[in-house]
Amino acid sequence: MTTAPEAQEQLAEVARLLAQAQRVVVLTGAGISAESGIATFRDARLGYWSQFDPEALASPEGFARDPGLVWRWYMERYRGLLQAQPNRGHQALAALAVNTPQLTLATQNIDDLHERAGSRAVLHLHGSLNSFRCQRCKRPHLLTSDEQHSVTPPSCLTCGALVRPGVVWFGEMLPDGMLQTVWQAARACDLFLVVGTSGVVMPAAALPEVARNAGATVVEVNVTPSEVTSAAHHFLKGKAGAVLPALLELMQHSGHN
Ligand code: OAD
């Protein structure tokens, strides 16, 4: 077990590596938004929703089987997101980008809290809950406030088919070119930072190992070990909202930015 002074030393070492890195890739998962009050994907089995499997809801089959159920699930998350604010973890990553020559931020999250904290050019590997489109003709759909509370999905104003969230469902491809971009960035970076993901969903979960095999130092921040911990050189145990600001502060004191 790591003692507090050892953890402090490891934090300082990672801060030093970050301050020296030219190319950094950050991959975030639901854990970074947990402190903003958004339930993580695998903890979201609360209350009424506990009787449903989130992976079954987040699928084309789930939507075909019961569009209303899937719509209500996403609308609950959508309304939650409207109330949520970015936390210190999101803010620290936005600041890190300013202090790093080249930083690529990829997220599996469908929220926009990174952008609201000031991050730019965020790669949303699993799409976005702020966009909606027709499931047939794919035209974007602007959500009305009535539709946010509707128990069934709206219909496309052009072709009449059902409107769906602009997210990536299980069994679907990632947005065009995005995987190649983040894969290349992972292969070319000095330091790969993975934050708050259980690391069970491919292809995102493969990225830490891709980076490690290409020679990068891999650092993980999580409250508990995950499926990608074996790829990490440094495991920083703790909440993203505490560990990331601490890293940034140590970086600033190391005089490299
Ligand atoms: P999960 O819900 O699977 O995992 C959340 C992770 O965050 C866990 O490893 C927690 O230990 C960690 N965690 C919780 N609170 C934290 C905190 N305050 N600071 C740091 N870590 C914390 O979410 P994801 O790994 O993001 O995909 O899930 C990956 C994908 O699975 C999602 O994007 C979604 C889902 O299926 C699709 O819908 C396609």
Side-chain angles (χ1 to χ4, degrees):
M1 189 151 144
T2 325
T3 61
E6 281 166 356
Q8 204 53 36
E9 231 167 73
Q10 198 175 31
L11 203 66
E13 165 70 0
V14 171
R16 196 181 54 77
L17 291 170
L18 265 176
Q20 290 170 350
Q22 295 298 307
R23 293 187 180 131
V24 173
V25 174
V26 183
L27 172 68
T28 63
I32 190 141
S33 296
E35 290 158 83
S36 294
I38 298 185
T40 64
F41 206 80
R42 286 173 178 78
D43 286 341
R45 304 161 183 245
L46 302 170
Y48 173 73
W49 296 108
S50 61
Q51 52 189 310
F52 302 102
D53 174 6
E55 297 202 5
L57 292 171
S59 71
E61 297 78 22
F63 191 61
R65 199 179 311 122
D66 194 340
L69 181 72
V70 173
W71 184 254
R72 290 193 295 282
W73 189 59
Y74 277 102
M75 283 307 101
E76 195 165 303
R77 294 179 81 87
Y78 180 80
R79 291 192 301 270
L81 181 55
L82 292 180
Q83 307 295 324
Q85 297 298 330
N87 64 54
R88 293 182 73 218
H90 297 106
Q91 285 156 0
L93 290 179
L96 181 65
V98 175
N99 291 300
T100 305
Q102 194 180 314
L103 184 138
T104 303
L105 174 56
T107 185
Q108 298 165 87
N109 299 345
I110 57 177
D111 66 53
D112 61 352
L113 296 178
H114 281 307
E115 285 88 346
R116 279 156 58 189
S119 286
R120 297 283 163 261
V122 182
L123 298 170
H124 278 274
L125 302 177
H126 295 166
S128 160
L129 190 48
N130 280 300
S131 72
F132 296 86
R133 65 169 188 270
C134 172
Q135 69 162 352
R136 185 162 62 203
C137 74
K138 300 188 171 46
R139 277 204 175 70
H141 179 91
L142 227 53
L143 204 64
T144 67
S145 54
D146 280 354
E147 288 165 354
Q148 286 170 28
H149 297 277
S150 164
V151 294
T152 52
S155 297
C156 172
L157 299 173
T158 307
C159 78
L162 293 181
V163 167
R164 58 163 284 179
V167 302
V168 177
W169 278 334
F170 283 95
E172 293 182 331
M173 303 286 283
L174 268 54
D176 250 6
M178 205 172 275
L179 184 61
Q180 289 85 328
T181 303
V182 67
W183 205 272
Q184 273 167 19
R187 286 188 53 80
C189 70
D190 314 312
L191 194 145
F192 190 100
L193 178 61
V194 52
V195 183
T197 179
S198 56
V200 296
V201 175
M202 290 293 174
L207 289 166
E209 194 152 331
V210 166
R212 185 180 175 126
N213 290 343
T217 301
V218 178
V219 177
E220 180 181 22
V221 176
N222 202 315
V223 290
T224 174
S226 73
E227 291 299 312
V228 294
T229 304
S230 59
H233 297 91
H234 299 278
F235 178 74
L236 303 179
K237 185 171 165 51
K239 293 184 173 183
V243 175
L244 296 174
L247 268 179
L248 204 77
E249 203 178 311
L250 285 168
M251 260 179 90
Q252 271 149 0
H253 287 146
S254 78
H256 283 273
N257 47 10

